[in-house]
Amino acid sequence: MSALTVDPGPGHGQDWDDLVRIWEETDAPEGCKVEIIEGIVTVSPPPSKDHNTTAALLQRRLYTVIPEDWEIYQTLGVSVPGRAGLYIPDLVVLPRAVASGPGNRVPAEEVHLVVEITSPANANHDRIGKAHGYAKAGIELFLLLDPWHSGRPTATLYGEPSDGTYRLLEAVEYGETLTLPKPFGLDLDTGVLPAG
């Protein structure tokens, strides 16, 4: 992962606009993910095959429970200017109407669920920086799939954001079932997910 540090100020106004412009103009190799994490433009390499398989398996299951007018996206930017962030979650679930039209990002407050799948290079960003950003933005649910968790791969569901912090709703080791609450109502068998 590489990074370009920019002083974003408080995450609003001209400084934020300048940071987003740098993000938009960053020329990364195809498949790489360019994000703004706590005011720093970062470039991550393309995800592994297991990472992509995890995203695909979860996406397939989510499509069985989401409303007809919602979609699941894998490369959509989620704007969190209050945390000087512009994240590209591994999966983001929101109404199709919000993601329609020009541009490549949506406001975080429109998102119902974000999913991050850790990689060795980005695990701490997903576990800490993005978790705080998603909570501060008020995203209802954050599912962290962490095959790199020390000890054993873990799936952790966070929700009920308040004052920039999530409440831990459920944490299971891979192999156990994790339940996504309404509006999803999905019992996710984490045993089908690749562990690494």
Side-chain angles (χ1 to χ4, degrees):
M1 180 173 355
S2 62
L4 170 65
T5 304
V6 177
D7 180 11
H12 300 289
Q14 186 63 38
D15 291 333
W16 174 249
D17 293 341
D18 290 343
L19 192 56
V20 170
R21 182 185 45 74
I22 291 168
W23 172 78
E24 290 173 336
E25 294 174 357
T26 299
D27 188 23
E30 186 173 339
C32 289
K33 187 187 291 189
V34 180
E35 298 177 286
I36 303 170
I37 302 174
E38 297 180 358
I40 300 171
V41 177
T42 64
V43 180
S44 301
S48 69
K49 292 184 285 185
D50 280 348
H51 189 282
N52 280 308
T53 298
T54 298
L57 289 168
L58 180 56
Q59 186 166 343
R60 181 180 299 268
R61 281 154 181 80
L62 284 169
Y63 268 122
T64 68
V65 297
I66 64 171
E68 187 67 29
D69 62 340
W70 288 13
E71 290 296 339
I72 304 164
Y73 300 91
Q74 290 192 29
T75 58
L76 186 61
V78 175
S79 185
V80 187
R83 280 288 291 187
L86 205 156
Y87 312 144
I88 301 176
D90 292 302
L91 294 176
V92 58
V93 181
L94 73 162
R96 183 180 314 114
V98 175
S100 297
N104 51 11
R105 60 188 186 274
V106 296
E109 58 270 13
E110 299 288 343
V111 175
H112 294 287
L113 169 70
V114 288
V115 179
E116 293 288 358
I117 304 162
T118 65
S119 299
N122 74 1
N124 283 334
H125 284 308
D126 291 346
R127 294 175 189 145
I128 301 166
K130 287 183 175 184
H132 289 302
Y134 293 141
K136 183 170 177 110
I139 293 176
E140 299 167 39
L141 295 171
F142 169 42
L143 177 59
L144 178 67
L145 299 176
D146 195 351
W148 301 99
H149 186 269
S150 61
R152 200 169 154 130
T154 304
T156 306
L157 180 64
Y158 298 96
E160 301 175 17
S162 176
D163 296 325
T165 304
Y166 276 121
R167 181 171 161 258
L168 173 65
L169 299 181
E170 187 175 6
V172 301
E173 291 185 353
Y174 276 27
E176 299 173 25
T177 299
L178 180 137
T179 301
L180 290 173
K182 296 288 181 193
F184 300 95
L186 175 67
D187 291 327
L188 176 64
D189 175 9
T190 62
V192 303
L193 305 177

